[in-house]
Amino acid sequence: MITHILFDFFGTLVEYSDSRIGQGYELSHSIVLSSGVNIKYPEFLERWDAMFRKFDLAAEANQDEFSMDDVVNGFLSSVLDKDPTPELVKNFRDVYLQEWNKGVKTIEGVPELLRQLKGHYTLALVTNTHSGDFVRSHLHDMGIAEHFSAIVASVEHGKRKPHPSIFELALEATGGKSENALYVGDSFSTDYMGAKNVGMRCLLIDPHKKHDIPPEDRIAHILDLRHILLRNQ
């Protein structure tokens, strides 16, 4: 019997663009220019993307999560040829996240779905992110933060999905057991396999059937949960 439902955030509860350069980052570029670095916009994007990719590859190898401050500090140090001030790091980080956020959109129907599920299940959020505050801000803006008994962000935990400890922490924090928990996410490697490896059932959002998984483990849309979980309530 399912008693706990754990959710991914990006791509599951919100639509988003995973591009680090496509949203338009003119304001972020202007901060670098104002710091005294004469760098053209295309080179700025290229070097930022390369630095982020360097951090990402390391994290994929050891599943140790990094923060936005980490990658911003690394990038600014490389273009300034010196250590940036904490104020510059904070300013660039906040403006960059504001611009990246243009690609994040609430999926219509999600707040009402979670409200309904909350009446029958314990809900938790388990997300890979470089800023826990960024995710919490979205949850509050969507009016759904109160529905989660626990919010586990990789940057605060230290490990990213699919590391088993991040799933186990969410279960421990909510008093759940893997055999009575369901994970819902959109990534085969981090969500589906991560949850399966700690003994949880997982529903993978896979509308185009890209992955070879049992049909009962696949849903086309997050709102399909209403029919699967609430039809017999």
PDB file of all heavy atoms in Angstrom, residues 34-67:
ATOM      1  N   SER A  34      30.825  45.343 -16.006  1.00  0.00           N
ATOM      2  CA  SER A  34      30.978  46.415 -15.015  1.00  0.00           C
ATOM      3  C   SER A  34      32.090  46.128 -14.021  1.00  0.00           C
ATOM      4  O   SER A  34      32.558  47.029 -13.328  1.00  0.00           O
ATOM      5  CB  SER A  34      29.660  46.644 -14.271  1.00  0.00           C
ATOM      6  OG  SER A  34      29.328  45.514 -13.479  1.00  0.00           O
ATOM      7  N   SER A  35      32.519  44.854 -13.958  1.00  0.00           N
ATOM      8  CA  SER A  35      33.620  44.502 -13.061  1.00  0.00           C
ATOM      9  C   SER A  35      34.978  44.767 -13.702  1.00  0.00           C
ATOM     10  O   SER A  35      36.022  44.526 -13.086  1.00  0.00           O
ATOM     11  CB  SER A  35      33.518  43.032 -12.654  1.00  0.00           C
ATOM     12  OG  SER A  35      33.781  42.177 -13.748  1.00  0.00           O
ATOM     13  N   GLY A  36      34.961  45.260 -14.951  1.00  0.00           N
ATOM     14  CA  GLY A  36      36.202  45.642 -15.612  1.00  0.00           C
ATOM     15  C   GLY A  36      36.724  44.662 -16.636  1.00  0.00           C
ATOM     16  O   GLY A  36      37.825  44.849 -17.162  1.00  0.00           O
ATOM     17  N   VAL A  37      35.933  43.626 -16.936  1.00  0.00           N
ATOM     18  CA  VAL A  37      36.360  42.617 -17.904  1.00  0.00           C
ATOM     19  C   VAL A  37      35.732  42.933 -19.257  1.00  0.00           C
ATOM     20  O   VAL A  37      34.503  43.009 -19.382  1.00  0.00           O
ATOM     21  CB  VAL A  37      35.946  41.202 -17.455  1.00  0.00           C
ATOM     22  CG1 VAL A  37      36.351  40.178 -18.513  1.00  0.00           C
ATOM     23  CG2 VAL A  37      36.583  40.863 -16.112  1.00  0.00           C
ATOM     24  N   ASN A  38      36.551  43.083 -20.273  1.00  0.00           N
ATOM     25  CA  ASN A  38      36.065  43.363 -21.618  1.00  0.00           C
ATOM     26  C   ASN A  38      35.879  42.035 -22.347  1.00  0.00           C
ATOM     27  O   ASN A  38      36.794  41.532 -23.001  1.00  0.00           O
ATOM     28  CB  ASN A  38      37.026  44.275 -22.381  1.00  0.00           C
ATOM     29  CG  ASN A  38      36.494  44.662 -23.748  1.00  0.00           C
ATOM     30  OD1 ASN A  38      35.299  44.540 -23.997  1.00  0.00           O
ATOM     31  ND2 ASN A  38      37.378  45.115 -24.614  1.00  0.00           N
ATOM     32  N   ILE A  39      34.695  41.459 -22.216  1.00  0.00           N
ATOM     33  CA  ILE A  39      34.421  40.157 -22.804  1.00  0.00           C
ATOM     34  C   ILE A  39      33.141  40.258 -23.627  1.00  0.00           C
ATOM     35  O   ILE A  39      32.118  40.766 -23.155  1.00  0.00           O
ATOM     36  CB  ILE A  39      34.304  39.069 -21.710  1.00  0.00           C
ATOM     37  CG1 ILE A  39      34.091  37.680 -22.337  1.00  0.00           C
ATOM     38  CG2 ILE A  39      33.213  39.399 -20.709  1.00  0.00           C
ATOM     39  CD1 ILE A  39      34.155  36.543 -21.319  1.00  0.00           C
ATOM     40  N   LYS A  40      33.205  39.818 -24.874  1.00  0.00           N
ATOM     41  CA  LYS A  40      32.049  39.862 -25.748  1.00  0.00           C
ATOM     42  C   LYS A  40      30.994  38.851 -25.285  1.00  0.00           C
ATOM     43  O   LYS A  40      31.313  37.829 -24.677  1.00  0.00           O
ATOM     44  CB  LYS A  40      32.451  39.567 -27.193  1.00  0.00           C
ATOM     45  CG  LYS A  40      33.470  40.541 -27.773  1.00  0.00           C
ATOM     46  CD  LYS A  40      32.902  41.948 -27.884  1.00  0.00           C
ATOM     47  CE  LYS A  40      33.899  42.883 -28.585  1.00  0.00           C
ATOM     48  NZ  LYS A  40      33.374  44.272 -28.666  1.00  0.00           N
ATOM     49  N   TYR A  41      29.749  39.147 -25.608  1.00  0.00           N
ATOM     50  CA  TYR A  41      28.639  38.312 -25.149  1.00  0.00           C
ATOM     51  C   TYR A  41      28.783  36.850 -25.567  1.00  0.00           C
ATOM     52  O   TYR A  41      28.610  35.958 -24.707  1.00  0.00           O
ATOM     53  CB  TYR A  41      27.313  38.897 -25.649  1.00  0.00           C
ATOM     54  CG  TYR A  41      26.090  38.194 -25.129  1.00  0.00           C
ATOM     55  CD1 TYR A  41      25.754  38.222 -23.772  1.00  0.00           C
ATOM     56  CD2 TYR A  41      25.246  37.499 -25.999  1.00  0.00           C
ATOM     57  CE1 TYR A  41      24.619  37.581 -23.302  1.00  0.00           C
ATOM     58  CE2 TYR A  41      24.113  36.855 -25.538  1.00  0.00           C
ATOM     59  CZ  TYR A  41      23.801  36.901 -24.192  1.00  0.00           C
ATOM     60  OH  TYR A  41      22.674  36.261 -23.724  1.00  0.00           O
ATOM     61  N   PRO A  42      29.102  36.536 -26.825  1.00  0.00           N
ATOM     62  CA  PRO A  42      29.245  35.113 -27.190  1.00  0.00           C
ATOM     63  C   PRO A  42      30.342  34.406 -26.397  1.00  0.00           C
ATOM     64  O   PRO A  42      30.164  33.249 -25.987  1.00  0.00           O
ATOM     65  CB  PRO A  42      29.581  35.170 -28.684  1.00  0.00           C
ATOM     66  CG  PRO A  42      29.017  36.468 -29.160  1.00  0.00           C
ATOM     67  CD  PRO A  42      29.225  37.410 -28.006  1.00  0.00           C
ATOM     68  N   GLU A  43      31.456  35.081 -26.167  1.00  0.00           N
ATOM     69  CA  GLU A  43      32.528  34.462 -25.380  1.00  0.00           C
ATOM     70  C   GLU A  43      32.098  34.300 -23.931  1.00  0.00           C
ATOM     71  O   GLU A  43      32.430  33.289 -23.285  1.00  0.00           O
ATOM     72  CB  GLU A  43      33.805  35.303 -25.448  1.00  0.00           C
ATOM     73  CG  GLU A  43      34.969  34.669 -24.699  1.00  0.00           C
ATOM     74  CD  GLU A  43      36.218  35.542 -24.633  1.00  0.00           C
ATOM     75  OE1 GLU A  43      36.217  36.619 -25.267  1.00  0.00           O
ATOM     76  OE2 GLU A  43      37.184  35.138 -23.942  1.00  0.00           O
ATOM     77  N   PHE A  44      31.384  35.286 -23.414  1.00  0.00           N
ATOM     78  CA  PHE A  44      30.856  35.193 -22.051  1.00  0.00           C
ATOM     79  C   PHE A  44      30.002  33.939 -21.891  1.00  0.00           C
ATOM     80  O   PHE A  44      30.177  33.160 -20.943  1.00  0.00           O
ATOM     81  CB  PHE A  44      30.035  36.447 -21.741  1.00  0.00           C
ATOM     82  CG  PHE A  44      29.040  36.287 -20.626  1.00  0.00           C
ATOM     83  CD1 PHE A  44      29.451  36.264 -19.310  1.00  0.00           C
ATOM     84  CD2 PHE A  44      27.681  36.154 -20.917  1.00  0.00           C
ATOM     85  CE1 PHE A  44      28.528  36.117 -18.271  1.00  0.00           C
ATOM     86  CE2 PHE A  44      26.756  36.000 -19.898  1.00  0.00           C
ATOM     87  CZ  PHE A  44      27.176  35.982 -18.571  1.00  0.00           C
ATOM     88  N   LEU A  45      29.073  33.715 -22.822  1.00  0.00           N
ATOM     89  CA  LEU A  45      28.216  32.534 -22.748  1.00  0.00           C
ATOM     90  C   LEU A  45      29.019  31.246 -22.877  1.00  0.00           C
ATOM     91  O   LEU A  45      28.779  30.278 -22.151  1.00  0.00           O
ATOM     92  CB  LEU A  45      27.161  32.586 -23.856  1.00  0.00           C
ATOM     93  CG  LEU A  45      26.080  33.654 -23.744  1.00  0.00           C
ATOM     94  CD1 LEU A  45      25.136  33.560 -24.934  1.00  0.00           C
ATOM     95  CD2 LEU A  45      25.308  33.545 -22.441  1.00  0.00           C
ATOM     96  N   GLU A  46      29.972  31.242 -23.799  1.00  0.00           N
ATOM     97  CA  GLU A  46      30.781  30.046 -24.019  1.00  0.00           C
ATOM     98  C   GLU A  46      31.586  29.676 -22.778  1.00  0.00           C
ATOM     99  O   GLU A  46      31.642  28.506 -22.377  1.00  0.00           O
ATOM    100  CB  GLU A  46      31.711  30.270 -25.212  1.00  0.00           C
ATOM    101  CG  GLU A  46      32.584  29.079 -25.539  1.00  0.00           C
ATOM    102  CD  GLU A  46      33.509  29.332 -26.715  1.00  0.00           C
ATOM    103  OE1 GLU A  46      33.426  30.421 -27.313  1.00  0.00           O
ATOM    104  OE2 GLU A  46      34.330  28.449 -27.019  1.00  0.00           O
ATOM    105  N   ARG A  47      32.199  30.667 -22.147  1.00  0.00           N
ATOM    106  CA  ARG A  47      33.036  30.385 -20.979  1.00  0.00           C
ATOM    107  C   ARG A  47      32.184  30.018 -19.761  1.00  0.00           C
ATOM    108  O   ARG A  47      32.574  29.164 -18.949  1.00  0.00           O
ATOM    109  CB  ARG A  47      33.945  31.582 -20.682  1.00  0.00           C
ATOM    110  CG  ARG A  47      34.996  31.801 -21.766  1.00  0.00           C
ATOM    111  CD  ARG A  47      35.954  32.907 -21.446  1.00  0.00           C
ATOM    112  NE  ARG A  47      36.773  32.618 -20.268  1.00  0.00           N
ATOM    113  CZ  ARG A  47      37.765  33.401 -19.855  1.00  0.00           C
ATOM    114  NH1 ARG A  47      38.075  34.507 -20.550  1.00  0.00           N
ATOM    115  NH2 ARG A  47      38.470  33.084 -18.781  1.00  0.00           N
ATOM    116  N   TRP A  48      31.021  30.652 -19.632  1.00  0.00           N
ATOM    117  CA  TRP A  48      30.125  30.286 -18.535  1.00  0.00           C
ATOM    118  C   TRP A  48      29.636  28.844 -18.701  1.00  0.00           C
ATOM    119  O   TRP A  48      29.653  28.057 -17.754  1.00  0.00           O
ATOM    120  CB  TRP A  48      28.936  31.244 -18.475  1.00  0.00           C
ATOM    121  CG  TRP A  48      27.831  30.759 -17.597  1.00  0.00           C
ATOM    122  CD1 TRP A  48      26.644  30.212 -17.980  1.00  0.00           C
ATOM    123  CD2 TRP A  48      27.830  30.730 -16.155  1.00  0.00           C
ATOM    124  NE1 TRP A  48      25.890  29.853 -16.883  1.00  0.00           N
ATOM    125  CE2 TRP A  48      26.600  30.166 -15.756  1.00  0.00           C
ATOM    126  CE3 TRP A  48      28.738  31.138 -15.181  1.00  0.00           C
ATOM    127  CZ2 TRP A  48      26.262  30.000 -14.410  1.00  0.00           C
ATOM    128  CZ3 TRP A  48      28.404  30.970 -13.835  1.00  0.00           C
ATOM    129  CH2 TRP A  48      27.182  30.411 -13.464  1.00  0.00           C
ATOM    130  N   ASP A  49      29.222  28.503 -19.898  1.00  0.00           N
ATOM    131  CA  ASP A  49      28.718  27.160 -20.156  1.00  0.00           C
ATOM    132  C   ASP A  49      29.810  26.121 -19.935  1.00  0.00           C
ATOM    133  O   ASP A  49      29.557  25.046 -19.380  1.00  0.00           O
ATOM    134  CB  ASP A  49      28.187  27.078 -21.588  1.00  0.00           C
ATOM    135  CG  ASP A  49      27.376  25.823 -21.832  1.00  0.00           C
ATOM    136  OD1 ASP A  49      26.515  25.489 -20.993  1.00  0.00           O
ATOM    137  OD2 ASP A  49      27.590  25.171 -22.862  1.00  0.00           O
ATOM    138  N   ALA A  50      31.017  26.431 -20.349  1.00  0.00           N
ATOM    139  CA  ALA A  50      32.135  25.505 -20.164  1.00  0.00           C
ATOM    140  C   ALA A  50      32.441  25.291 -18.688  1.00  0.00           C
ATOM    141  O   ALA A  50      32.725  24.164 -18.260  1.00  0.00           O
ATOM    142  CB  ALA A  50      33.370  26.026 -20.890  1.00  0.00           C
ATOM    143  N   MET A  51      32.397  26.365 -17.907  1.00  0.00           N
ATOM    144  CA  MET A  51      32.662  26.231 -16.471  1.00  0.00           C
ATOM    145  C   MET A  51      31.582  25.403 -15.801  1.00  0.00           C
ATOM    146  O   MET A  51      31.869  24.520 -14.972  1.00  0.00           O
ATOM    147  CB  MET A  51      32.745  27.613 -15.826  1.00  0.00           C
ATOM    148  CG  MET A  51      33.039  27.590 -14.325  1.00  0.00           C
ATOM    149  SD  MET A  51      34.628  26.809 -13.899  1.00  0.00           S
ATOM    150  CE  MET A  51      35.782  28.024 -14.607  1.00  0.00           C
ATOM    151  N   PHE A  52      30.328  25.657 -16.161  1.00  0.00           N
ATOM    152  CA  PHE A  52      29.229  24.897 -15.565  1.00  0.00           C
ATOM    153  C   PHE A  52      29.345  23.418 -15.940  1.00  0.00           C
ATOM    154  O   PHE A  52      29.129  22.532 -15.110  1.00  0.00           O
ATOM    155  CB  PHE A  52      27.888  25.458 -16.041  1.00  0.00           C
ATOM    156  CG  PHE A  52      26.803  25.395 -15.008  1.00  0.00           C
ATOM    157  CD1 PHE A  52      26.280  26.542 -14.453  1.00  0.00           C
ATOM    158  CD2 PHE A  52      26.300  24.169 -14.579  1.00  0.00           C
ATOM    159  CE1 PHE A  52      25.277  26.490 -13.504  1.00  0.00           C
ATOM    160  CE2 PHE A  52      25.304  24.093 -13.627  1.00  0.00           C
ATOM    161  CZ  PHE A  52      24.785  25.258 -13.086  1.00  0.00           C
ATOM    162  N   ARG A  53      29.689  23.160 -17.195  1.00  0.00           N
ATOM    163  CA  ARG A  53      29.833  21.775 -17.656  1.00  0.00           C
ATOM    164  C   ARG A  53      30.955  21.071 -16.900  1.00  0.00           C
ATOM    165  O   ARG A  53      30.852  19.878 -16.569  1.00  0.00           O
ATOM    166  CB  ARG A  53      30.098  21.751 -19.163  1.00  0.00           C
ATOM    167  CG  ARG A  53      30.111  20.352 -19.759  1.00  0.00           C
ATOM    168  CD  ARG A  53      30.025  20.385 -21.280  1.00  0.00           C
ATOM    169  NE  ARG A  53      31.117  21.141 -21.882  1.00  0.00           N
ATOM    170  CZ  ARG A  53      30.981  22.329 -22.447  1.00  0.00           C
ATOM    171  NH1 ARG A  53      29.800  22.932 -22.463  1.00  0.00           N
ATOM    172  NH2 ARG A  53      32.023  22.946 -22.986  1.00  0.00           N
ATOM    173  N   LYS A  54      32.022  21.785 -16.595  1.00  0.00           N
ATOM    174  CA  LYS A  54      33.129  21.202 -15.827  1.00  0.00           C
ATOM    175  C   LYS A  54      32.654  20.748 -14.447  1.00  0.00           C
ATOM    176  O   LYS A  54      32.972  19.639 -13.996  1.00  0.00           O
ATOM    177  CB  LYS A  54      34.247  22.234 -15.693  1.00  0.00           C
ATOM    178  CG  LYS A  54      35.416  21.789 -14.833  1.00  0.00           C
ATOM    179  CD  LYS A  54      36.454  22.905 -14.710  1.00  0.00           C
ATOM    180  CE  LYS A  54      37.593  22.501 -13.775  1.00  0.00           C
ATOM    181  NZ  LYS A  54      38.591  23.604 -13.641  1.00  0.00           N
ATOM    182  N   PHE A  55      31.885  21.601 -13.784  1.00  0.00           N
ATOM    183  CA  PHE A  55      31.342  21.239 -12.468  1.00  0.00           C
ATOM    184  C   PHE A  55      30.366  20.077 -12.593  1.00  0.00           C
ATOM    185  O   PHE A  55      30.356  19.171 -11.748  1.00  0.00           O
ATOM    186  CB  PHE A  55      30.652  22.449 -11.834  1.00  0.00           C
ATOM    187  CG  PHE A  55      31.572  23.351 -11.071  1.00  0.00           C
ATOM    188  CD1 PHE A  55      32.356  24.278 -11.732  1.00  0.00           C
ATOM    189  CD2 PHE A  55      31.661  23.287  -9.692  1.00  0.00           C
ATOM    190  CE1 PHE A  55      33.211  25.122 -11.033  1.00  0.00           C
ATOM    191  CE2 PHE A  55      32.505  24.125  -8.976  1.00  0.00           C
ATOM    192  CZ  PHE A  55      33.285  25.041  -9.649  1.00  0.00           C
ATOM    193  N   ASP A  56      29.543  20.118 -13.630  1.00  0.00           N
ATOM    194  CA  ASP A  56      28.538  19.069 -13.809  1.00  0.00           C
ATOM    195  C   ASP A  56      29.184  17.703 -14.036  1.00  0.00           C
ATOM    196  O   ASP A  56      28.735  16.690 -13.485  1.00  0.00           O
ATOM    197  CB  ASP A  56      27.641  19.409 -14.993  1.00  0.00           C
ATOM    198  CG  ASP A  56      26.198  19.660 -14.575  1.00  0.00           C
ATOM    199  OD1 ASP A  56      25.847  19.360 -13.422  1.00  0.00           O
ATOM    200  OD2 ASP A  56      25.431  20.148 -15.416  1.00  0.00           O
ATOM    201  N   LEU A  57      30.215  17.658 -14.849  1.00  0.00           N
ATOM    202  CA  LEU A  57      30.882  16.389 -15.129  1.00  0.00           C
ATOM    203  C   LEU A  57      31.495  15.794 -13.871  1.00  0.00           C
ATOM    204  O   LEU A  57      31.443  14.581 -13.647  1.00  0.00           O
ATOM    205  CB  LEU A  57      31.948  16.591 -16.205  1.00  0.00           C
ATOM    206  CG  LEU A  57      31.423  16.841 -17.620  1.00  0.00           C
ATOM    207  CD1 LEU A  57      32.570  17.195 -18.560  1.00  0.00           C
ATOM    208  CD2 LEU A  57      30.664  15.624 -18.147  1.00  0.00           C
ATOM    209  N   ALA A  58      32.075  16.656 -13.043  1.00  0.00           N
ATOM    210  CA  ALA A  58      32.646  16.171 -11.783  1.00  0.00           C
ATOM    211  C   ALA A  58      31.553  15.631 -10.869  1.00  0.00           C
ATOM    212  O   ALA A  58      31.719  14.587 -10.222  1.00  0.00           O
ATOM    213  CB  ALA A  58      33.415  17.300 -11.100  1.00  0.00           C
ATOM    214  N   ALA A  59      30.421  16.329 -10.830  1.00  0.00           N
ATOM    215  CA  ALA A  59      29.325  15.904  -9.966  1.00  0.00           C
ATOM    216  C   ALA A  59      28.695  14.611 -10.466  1.00  0.00           C
ATOM    217  O   ALA A  59      28.269  13.766  -9.665  1.00  0.00           O
ATOM    218  CB  ALA A  59      28.269  17.006  -9.887  1.00  0.00           C
ATOM    219  N   GLU A  60      28.616  14.439 -11.767  1.00  0.00           N
ATOM    220  CA  GLU A  60      28.084  13.200 -12.309  1.00  0.00           C
ATOM    221  C   GLU A  60      28.969  12.013 -11.947  1.00  0.00           C
ATOM    222  O   GLU A  60      28.474  10.900 -11.744  1.00  0.00           O
ATOM    223  CB  GLU A  60      27.955  13.303 -13.825  1.00  0.00           C
ATOM    224  CG  GLU A  60      26.822  14.208 -14.279  1.00  0.00           C
ATOM    225  CD  GLU A  60      26.807  14.410 -15.777  1.00  0.00           C
ATOM    226  OE1 GLU A  60      27.621  13.753 -16.467  1.00  0.00           O
ATOM    227  OE2 GLU A  60      25.986  15.200 -16.270  1.00  0.00           O
ATOM    228  N   ALA A  61      30.253  12.268 -11.837  1.00  0.00           N
ATOM    229  CA  ALA A  61      31.204  11.189 -11.541  1.00  0.00           C
ATOM    230  C   ALA A  61      31.135  10.755 -10.078  1.00  0.00           C
ATOM    231  O   ALA A  61      31.196   9.557  -9.778  1.00  0.00           O
ATOM    232  CB  ALA A  61      32.618  11.629 -11.888  1.00  0.00           C
ATOM    233  N   ASN A  62      31.014  11.711  -9.169  1.00  0.00           N
ATOM    234  CA  ASN A  62      31.045  11.359  -7.740  1.00  0.00           C
ATOM    235  C   ASN A  62      29.735  11.624  -7.012  1.00  0.00           C
ATOM    236  O   ASN A  62      29.606  11.315  -5.829  1.00  0.00           O
ATOM    237  CB  ASN A  62      32.182  12.090  -7.024  1.00  0.00           C
ATOM    238  CG  ASN A  62      32.088  13.610  -7.160  1.00  0.00           C
ATOM    239  OD1 ASN A  62      31.005  14.170  -7.303  1.00  0.00           O
ATOM    240  ND2 ASN A  62      33.237  14.290  -7.110  1.00  0.00           N
ATOM    241  N   GLN A  63      28.742  12.217  -7.722  1.00  0.00           N
ATOM    242  CA  GLN A  63      27.420  12.525  -7.175  1.00  0.00           C
ATOM    243  C   GLN A  63      27.475  13.499  -6.008  1.00  0.00           C
ATOM    244  O   GLN A  63      26.519  13.618  -5.233  1.00  0.00           O
ATOM    245  CB  GLN A  63      26.672  11.248  -6.806  1.00  0.00           C
ATOM    246  CG  GLN A  63      26.374  10.385  -8.022  1.00  0.00           C
ATOM    247  CD  GLN A  63      25.727   9.067  -7.699  1.00  0.00           C
ATOM    248  OE1 GLN A  63      25.331   8.791  -6.578  1.00  0.00           O
ATOM    249  NE2 GLN A  63      25.627   8.206  -8.705  1.00  0.00           N
ATOM    250  N   ASP A  64      28.588  14.234  -5.879  1.00  0.00           N
ATOM    251  CA  ASP A  64      28.669  15.331  -4.915  1.00  0.00           C
ATOM    252  C   ASP A  64      28.107  16.585  -5.568  1.00  0.00           C
ATOM    253  O   ASP A  64      28.570  16.999  -6.633  1.00  0.00           O
ATOM    254  CB  ASP A  64      30.121  15.592  -4.500  1.00  0.00           C
ATOM    255  CG  ASP A  64      30.696  14.489  -3.633  1.00  0.00           C
ATOM    256  OD1 ASP A  64      29.903  13.751  -3.012  1.00  0.00           O
ATOM    257  OD2 ASP A  64      31.933  14.350  -3.591  1.00  0.00           O
ATOM    258  N   GLU A  65      27.101  17.181  -4.940  1.00  0.00           N
ATOM    259  CA  GLU A  65      26.462  18.348  -5.535  1.00  0.00           C
ATOM    260  C   GLU A  65      27.262  19.615  -5.289  1.00  0.00           C
ATOM    261  O   GLU A  65      27.980  19.733  -4.283  1.00  0.00           O
ATOM    262  CB  GLU A  65      25.046  18.524  -4.961  1.00  0.00           C
ATOM    263  CG  GLU A  65      24.189  19.534  -5.713  1.00  0.00           C
ATOM    264  CD  GLU A  65      24.013  19.153  -7.176  1.00  0.00           C
ATOM    265  OE1 GLU A  65      24.935  19.453  -7.971  1.00  0.00           O
ATOM    266  OE2 GLU A  65      22.977  18.555  -7.511  1.00  0.00           O
ATOM    267  N   PHE A  66      27.168  20.556  -6.218  1.00  0.00           N
ATOM    268  CA  PHE A  66      27.818  21.859  -6.059  1.00  0.00           C
ATOM    269  C   PHE A  66      26.760  22.951  -6.017  1.00  0.00           C
ATOM    270  O   PHE A  66      25.630  22.760  -6.483  1.00  0.00           O
ATOM    271  CB  PHE A  66      28.806  22.120  -7.203  1.00  0.00           C
ATOM    272  CG  PHE A  66      28.191  22.137  -8.578  1.00  0.00           C
ATOM    273  CD1 PHE A  66      27.730  23.317  -9.149  1.00  0.00           C
ATOM    274  CD2 PHE A  66      28.085  20.962  -9.314  1.00  0.00           C
ATOM    275  CE1 PHE A  66      27.162  23.331 -10.419  1.00  0.00           C
ATOM    276  CE2 PHE A  66      27.526  20.967 -10.588  1.00  0.00           C
ATOM    277  CZ  PHE A  66      27.060  22.149 -11.139  1.00  0.00           C
ATOM    278  N   SER A  67      27.126  24.077  -5.455  1.00  0.00           N
ATOM    279  CA  SER A  67      26.183  25.185  -5.323  1.00  0.00           C
ATOM    280  C   SER A  67      26.390  26.188  -6.451  1.00  0.00           C
ATOM    281  O   SER A  67      27.419  26.193  -7.135  1.00  0.00           O
ATOM    282  CB  SER A  67      26.376  25.889  -3.980  1.00  0.00           C
ATOM    283  OG  SER A  67      27.603  26.606  -3.973  1.00  0.00           O
TER     284      SER A  67
END
